[in-house]
Amino acid sequence: MTSSERVFDPIARRLVKAALLLSSCAPALLVPAGPAAAQEVAAPAEGDAADIVVTGFRNSLANALDAKRNDVRVTDGISAEDIGKFPAENITEAIQRISGVQMSNINGRGATISIRGLGPQYALTTINGQTFKSADFTDGFRYDIIQTELANAIEVIKSPTAAMDTGGLSGTVNISTPKPLDYKDRQIILSVKGQNSEYAGGKITPKISGSYVDQFADATIGVYANLGYQKLRDRADYMWMDRWATTTVDGESVQLPRRPRYRRIDRDTERLMASGGVQWKPSDRFEMNATAIYARDKTDYDLNQQVFLFDTSRITVNEVNNGVATNVTATNFTMENNRQHEDRNLTSQGYTLGAKWNDGTGWAASTTLNYTKGTTYQDERAAIVGVNIPSASIDFSDPNDVNFTVGTDLTDPSLYQRSTLTRNEYPNGATRRMNSSEKSAQFDVSREVTFGPISKLSAGVKYRHETFSRYVSRHDMVALADAPDATSSVFPDMTTTYYPVSGFLNGSSGIPTAWIGPDLNAYEKALAAAGIVVPDIFAPEASYNVDRYMPSVYAMADIDTTIAGMPLRGNVGLRYEHTKQKVLGNVTEPRDDGYEEVQQKIGEYTVTQKYGNFLPSLSLVAEPTNNLQVRFAAAKVLVRPFMDSRTSMAQTTSTSANTDPVGTNTVTVDLGQAGLKPLTAKQLDLGVEWYYDHGNALSINGFYKWIKNGTYSSLVCPSSFDGTALSSNSGGECVDASGNIYDITQTLNDPSTIRVKGFEVSWTQSFDRFLPVDGFGIMANFTRVYPQKVAIGTGYTIRNLSKVTWNLVPYWENEHFNIRAAINHRSGYEQNSADSFFAYAGHTVRARTQVDISGGYSPNEWLSFSAGVINLNNSCEEAYYTDSSIWQESSFYGRSFYLSATLKL
């Protein structure tokens, strides 16, 4: 399982050669979405014949630079090439082209983003300036549920103003939807696409979408609508060391690997997205806008797992490196064969109504009403079969060549003789229903003035009510008083009925890559034949509700003046945000029927807290020359405690049975975060931007943040929990007298101030003036972050922080053809159990570079074709434990290919 085999196999090398050949001749076969002739910029001024009119992708870059140049805030962005035509295959991939932004994958599919190296949870996402609730409730906004047809432009705002909602430590990502009156005539756009995830079996999955824009009543009313449907299939494999123990070798304390684990995830996704808007502008003095967005994501997960539960008393250490046993042999241990099916139904929706008015003399007012809701339904059902394994050895002395051997054939059905099974249970799982919503209303008023350097005064009020609820229930066979035991003939016989799994980790040579798993359909049929019905039982200890009430008010002054003949513009403002938070949890006690996985509710409790924050801001832009701008920004930002599936505002508890030791449970506890204070940060930005030609620019920006009240989580082992005495065993686990394991997470505020500084460089360049062939260009950016180092679990550390990120996008296009590559790099970053399922004891994800290529052909202005390869170089996630020489995780999810056609009427 060498790194070179996983990252760049011979197929990838052949594809690279093909791409180079295509880029050196007629690139008609590979090219991005969108006709090169779409929407031209303004024609050059008379007498300025040297100016160049650009189209397509270059036009989108030029528009984004114009928006950046005209804004007084520190921003970067990207715009659509045409309506519904973004220069990427999903919103995440589009955003990562922006300076300082990096994408994170889920199963190889772009899902979340990081800004300036900071993790996805630190970015606020809005649509048309208003909150939009993601339905996934994981770490950060899930952009992959939003299709590109929604966006007209994407802007990353790195320095807030007083008029903006709070919530982004790293920045605010604002997605702007199309305004139909910006288009001069009716447009109908139809698009079809086929996508193939190579590692998921090669099946082509479809996408169809249609967009409609029209104007009525002498172009005073505009209508926009989009409808899209998509199917996706992907697969990802993971092998990692889940748990470690401590032992003594030759008198020295050594970390001992004790739970190697396999996980294969197959996903089938069905998506529906609809968006629309109505714009009414009867005059230049009044305008109303109404928008609606609906996104539904239904995904079936098939998880196949092998969990090797090494017994620490029967592990032989063969080699030690840097305090870690990197070569061990385990004998006579239990393996859990776990196959789990999950249904995840996600829905996000948002509805906004706004109006703007001005009296023509300097007074202006606006009002906005917004409602958004995200809903998740997640149902999981697992079959868990335990068997005894005589021996296994794992050797990761070379972290790039992990070898794992098992002393029995994992594909041999005889391994699962009923009489030898130590566990046989179905179903084992939970149903989780999570809802988050926000209602808001705001009113803003402004007055143009002539008062020294002040050109406009603005003020506004906003009221937001945010809710989050989590309802959890469990359905476990062990809840039945007469549940069949592991050897019962009620369950299907795995010696004859099973599900084959093969090709794990792309057929890596150093490990077993095939096994047989439980057939879940056979288990369902067996229970039905036996008349067994497993009830769904409410889990009050894992359920709670949160309400947040957030009124705010701001005042701001725009600056427009000159200093020594140099133009100076900007704004200065102050925002006040008040927060009242109420957490409603459940008081519980053990059930009286012997079912230990859930408890029973005996009451409720409420935790309320209030706090207020003054948030000043200052943004200034000076123009020493016509082409040079100097930016300065200072602000205080506020990030309230996160409400998602990985955080618990109330104390939550869940219990699951252990295969080994038999008769014990693992009790997972989150002590709750209802009393956490909000994170605040003071930040400075200073940058220089040189716009030396239309569509060309070079900029450098430095930033500094002082962060206070950041939160950190750690596993703790108190002397007792709920009256049960606890202590640490020799394996480092927190246990009670009966051997039950307690995984207790505590989250606290760090009162100290953590400093983060860095800089980013961005360059956009067309080579038309330098090359004999027009159409070549490049977009590049580089970000370096210098965080204050804090050991994970001892104080606030910025989660998922990459110190170095960069993007490089070379491209070429002409009237009919275009081709480009996107090369994205992210340096290593640390994670713990709060960040990743694969980092229970903490790990560091290694640096990663991904290469995408795309291209297109437009025979005329109304028809275009596009094709591309995502993750051309087979980049994947790998991680190490305490030292870069100590392997902890390997993964593989392969490439994706797409081909699409667009018709514009």
Side-chain angles (χ1 to χ4, degrees):
M1 189 173 57
T2 65
S3 178
S4 61
E5 288 173 336
R6 287 190 301 270
V7 174
F8 214 85
D9 62 20
I11 295 176
R13 289 193 289 271
R14 289 196 295 269
L15 285 171
V16 170
K17 291 179 181 178
L20 293 174
L21 177 62
L22 287 168
S23 65
S24 64
C25 55
L29 301 178
L30 287 174
V31 218
Q39 287 189 328
E40 295 186 355
V41 298
E46 184 177 355
D48 191 7
D51 284 352
I52 299 173
V53 176
V54 295
T55 59
F57 181 60
R58 288 187 296 167
N59 184 43
S60 72
L61 296 180
N63 289 341
L65 285 178
D66 288 343
K68 174 184 176 73
R69 185 174 186 177
N70 294 330
D71 205 320
V72 299
R73 303 166 299 186
V74 179
T75 66
D76 284 285
I78 194 166
S79 65
E81 297 175 24
D82 199 352
I83 183 170
K85 287 290 184 181
F86 240 88
E89 284 307 298
N90 71 31
I91 289 290
T92 324
E93 292 160 9
I95 296 174
Q96 76 163 341
R97 311 288 197 262
I98 298 173
S99 177
V101 177
Q102 279 293 308
M103 175 180 72
S104 296
N105 289 289
I106 296 178
N107 262 36
R109 192 188 302 168
T112 62
I113 59 101
S114 300
I115 302 174
R116 288 178 167 175
L118 308 185
Q121 69 272 31
Y122 297 112
L124 174 67
T125 299
T126 59
I127 295 181
N128 296 324
Q130 302 297 319
T131 300
F132 186 77
K133 289 294 183 183
S134 172
D136 193 72
F137 305 121
T138 52
D139 217 1
F141 189 92
R142 282 288 299 275
Y143 292 96
D144 59 331
I145 68 171
I146 303 298
Q147 298 185 23
T148 54
E149 288 80 6
L150 172 71
N152 187 55
I154 302 173
E155 188 176 34
V156 176
I157 306 163
K158 301 169 185 176
S159 65
T161 67
M164 294 172 54
D165 289 345
T166 61
L169 172 64
S170 59
T172 297
V173 178
N174 184 59
I175 301 171
S176 298
T177 60
K179 288 190 173 183
L181 293 182
D182 289 347
Y183 301 87
K184 302 306 179 184
D185 51 22
R186 175 186 300 165
Q187 296 192 29
I188 299 175
I189 299 175
L190 304 176
S191 178
V192 295
K193 174 184 172 185
Q195 185 159 333
N196 163 243
S197 178
E198 180 183 43
Y199 199 45
K203 182 178 179 180
I204 296 175
T205 55
K207 176 182 178 181
I208 57 174
S209 65
S211 298
Y212 168 74
V213 175
D214 211 343
Q215 303 79 31
F216 305 93
D218 296 326
T220 61
I221 297 177
V223 176
Y224 163 74
N226 172 262
L227 181 65
Y229 173 81
Q230 184 176 28
K231 284 188 174 182
L232 288 168
R233 171 175 289 186
D234 58 45
R235 170 185 166 186
D237 294 351
Y238 301 88
M239 177 184 177
W240 76 104
M241 188 59 62
D242 190 34
R243 302 291 174 94
W244 305 79
T246 303
T247 190
T248 301
V249 177
D250 297 333
E252 299 291 333
S253 179
V254 172
Q255 290 285 297
L256 191 68
R258 66 178 182 88
R259 188 178 294 182
R261 191 164 178 172
Y262 285 8
R263 171 176 273 207
R264 168 177 164 171
I265 306 173
D266 292 87
R267 295 194 304 176
D268 284 283
T269 299
E270 186 177 11
R271 288 178 173 164
L272 175 68
M273 182 169 181
S275 61
V278 177
Q279 184 181 10
W280 180 40
K281 192 173 182 180
S283 70
D284 291 338
R285 295 187 178 183
F286 182 77
E287 179 181 339
M288 287 190 68
N289 288 278
T291 60
I293 301 167
Y294 176 86
R296 188 192 70 194
D297 183 300
K298 297 177 66 176
T299 302
D300 290 335
Y301 285 71
D302 187 8
L303 284 76
N304 282 275
Q305 301 186 90
Q306 303 279 278
V307 186
F308 303 91
L309 304 169
F310 290 180
D311 186 331
T312 55
S313 66
R314 293 193 285 271
I315 296 179
T316 301
V317 177
N318 304 317
E319 185 175 347
V320 176
N321 289 296
N322 296 323
V324 177
T326 55
N327 186 332
V328 301
T329 300
T331 58
N332 193 23
F333 62 89
T334 297
M335 182 193 75
E336 282 187 352
N337 192 331
N338 180 322
R339 187 175 179 209
Q340 179 173 301
H341 178 265
E342 293 184 16
D343 287 322
R344 296 191 186 184
N345 298 333
L346 315 177
T347 302
S348 295
Q349 51 191 310
Y351 309 94
T352 304
L353 177 64
K356 298 188 294 185
W357 165 88
N358 72 84
D359 71 346
T361 66
W363 280 100
S366 65
T367 185
T368 305
L369 303 176
N370 186 60
Y371 173 74
T372 180
K373 183 178 182 180
T375 303
T376 290
Y377 171 84
Q378 178 184 341
D379 181 82
E380 61 186 37
R381 295 172 184 270
I384 305 173
V385 182
V387 296
N388 183 263
I389 301 295
S391 67
S393 295
I394 187 166
D395 180 3
F396 48 91
S397 303
D398 180 353
N400 295 316
D401 187 16
V402 177
N403 288 277
F404 181 48
T405 58
V406 180
T408 190
D409 184 357
L410 299 180
T411 65
D412 184 1
S414 65
L415 179 63
Y416 294 93
Q417 297 284 345
R418 276 203 181 104
S419 60
T420 64
L421 300 182
T422 60
R423 184 177 183 182
N424 194 3
E425 182 183 343
Y426 179 85
N428 177 283
T431 299
R432 299 175 181 87
R433 298 173 176 86
M434 291 175 284
N435 296 278
S436 182
S437 68
E438 181 176 305
K439 302 174 184 176
S440 66
Q442 73 179 74
F443 177 76
D444 303 89
V445 63
S446 65
R447 170 65 174 171
E448 294 179 1
V449 298
T450 304
F451 187 69
I454 306 300
S455 61
K456 184 167 72 173
L457 296 173
S458 305
V461 295
K462 187 166 187 175
Y463 181 79
R464 301 166 61 195
H465 177 204
E466 182 182 23
T467 67
F468 179 83
S469 65
R470 182 163 73 174
Y471 180 95
V472 179
S473 58
R474 289 199 63 86
H475 34 261
D476 299 309
M477 176 61 75
V478 296
L480 301 179
D482 56 349
D485 62 25
T487 61
S488 172
S489 60
V490 167
F491 297 119
D493 185 354
M494 271 193 67
T495 63
T496 58
T497 306
Y498 51 82
Y499 177 82
V501 180
S502 62
F504 183 70
L505 275 185
N506 201 32
S508 178
S509 60
I511 65 172
T513 60
W515 66 90
I516 59 172
D519 184 330
L520 298 186
N521 290 329
Y523 273 85
E524 286 282 356
K525 292 177 181 178
L527 295 189
I532 296 176
V533 178
V534 177
D536 202 53
I537 301 174
F538 174 51
E541 71 281 0
S543 306
Y544 62 89
N545 294 278
V546 182
D547 282 274
R548 277 185 184 154
Y549 306 89
M550 299 167 287
S552 59
V553 61
Y554 78 91
M556 188 170 69
D558 285 8
I559 299 169
D560 191 355
T561 186
T562 59
I563 297 179
M566 179 177 63
L568 178 69
R569 54 193 171 88
N571 61 55
V572 59
L574 179 66
R575 187 180 187 92
Y576 176 76
E577 294 249 355
H578 180 78
T579 305
K580 178 183 178 181
Q581 177 178 283
K582 182 173 71 173
V583 178
L584 177 64
N586 299 306
V587 180
T588 64
E589 66 177 10
R591 295 171 60 91
D592 51 19
D593 59 2
Y595 177 41
E596 298 179 341
E597 271 69 5
V598 303
Q599 299 189 350
Q600 62 185 0
K601 179 178 178 178
I602 59 174
E604 296 179 343
Y605 69 89
T606 301
V607 178
T608 302
Q609 73 165 327
K610 301 178 182 178
Y611 49 85
N613 299 87
F614 287 97
L615 306 170
S617 63
L618 171 66
S619 298
L620 295 173
V621 180
E623 299 183 34
T625 70
N626 290 336
N627 297 326
L628 190 67
Q629 292 189 162
V630 178
R631 292 185 185 272
F632 173 78
K636 184 177 181 181
V637 298
L638 169 73
V639 180
R640 297 177 178 87
F642 305 119
M643 295 195 297
D644 56 37
S645 62
R646 291 184 178 172
T647 60
S648 295
M649 299 304 293
Q651 178 174 299
T652 60
T653 305
S654 63
T655 304
S656 60
N658 295 324
T659 301
D660 185 36
V662 176
T664 66
N665 295 314
T666 293
V667 182
T668 303
V669 180
D670 192 309
L671 295 177
Q673 303 173 21
L676 287 179
K677 298 177 182 178
L679 177 152
T680 59
K682 299 175 181 178
Q683 61 183 44
L684 295 176
D685 282 84
L686 179 62
V688 178
E689 301 162 5
W690 181 28
Y691 299 90
Y692 50 88
D693 199 356
H694 182 72
N696 299 329
L698 176 66
S699 65
I700 182 168
N701 189 81
F703 56 89
Y704 208 122
K705 298 176 185 288
W706 295 264
I707 305 170
K708 189 174 182 180
N709 287 332
T711 59
Y712 66 99
S713 299
S714 59
L715 290 169
V716 297
C717 188
S719 59
S720 66
F721 178 75
D722 277 355
T724 300
L726 302 175
S727 61
S728 296
N729 65 13
S730 59
E733 294 171 320
C734 187
V735 297
D736 62 16
S738 301
N740 295 307
I741 301 169
Y742 285 73
D743 287 340
I744 302 176
T745 300
Q746 175 180 260
T747 303
L748 301 171
N749 283 112
D750 185 348
S752 61
T753 299
I754 303 298
R755 295 178 298 277
V756 178
K757 60 184 178 181
F759 68 91
E760 55 192 13
V761 180
S762 179
W763 181 40
T764 303
Q765 177 67 56
S766 167
F767 297 127
D768 286 0
R769 298 189 187 278
F770 310 105
L771 298 177
V773 178
D774 287 348
F776 286 96
I778 193 170
M779 179 176 71
N781 54 72
F782 175 88
T783 302
R784 179 67 164 97
V785 182
Y786 301 88
Q788 181 177 333
K789 180 67 175 178
V790 178
I792 289 181
T794 63
Y796 173 64
T797 183
I798 299 178
R799 296 157 50 188
N800 302 298
L801 184 144
S802 291
K803 296 180 181 179
V804 175
T805 60
W806 53 261
N807 301 305
L808 180 64
V809 183
Y811 65 88
W812 172 81
E813 66 179 4
N814 67 10
E815 184 180 0
H816 296 293
F817 299 102
N818 58 79
I819 187 167
R820 62 176 171 265
I823 307 167
N824 313 108
H825 174 82
R826 181 178 185 182
S827 67
Y829 52 96
E830 295 179 344
Q831 293 183 320
N832 65 9
S833 59
D835 307 318
S836 171
F837 180 80
F838 308 107
Y840 176 85
H843 70 196
T844 300
V845 179
R846 295 184 185 274
R848 177 173 178 264
T849 302
Q850 178 171 317
V851 180
D852 304 335
I853 61 171
S854 60
Y857 169 58
S858 301
N860 50 52
E861 64 181 7
W862 48 268
L863 182 63
S864 63
F865 302 94
S866 66
V869 184
I870 300 171
N871 195 24
L872 173 69
N873 59 328
N874 268 334
S875 175
C876 54
E877 180 178 300
E878 297 188 344
Y880 60 86
Y881 185 39
T882 54
D883 181 88
S884 61
S885 64
I886 308 300
W887 169 88
Q888 191 271 336
E889 178 199 349
S890 298
S891 71
F892 189 86
Y893 35 78
R895 310 178 191 87
S896 292
F897 305 86
Y898 65 87
L899 179 67
S900 66
T902 300
L903 176 64
K904 181 177 178 181
L905 303 176

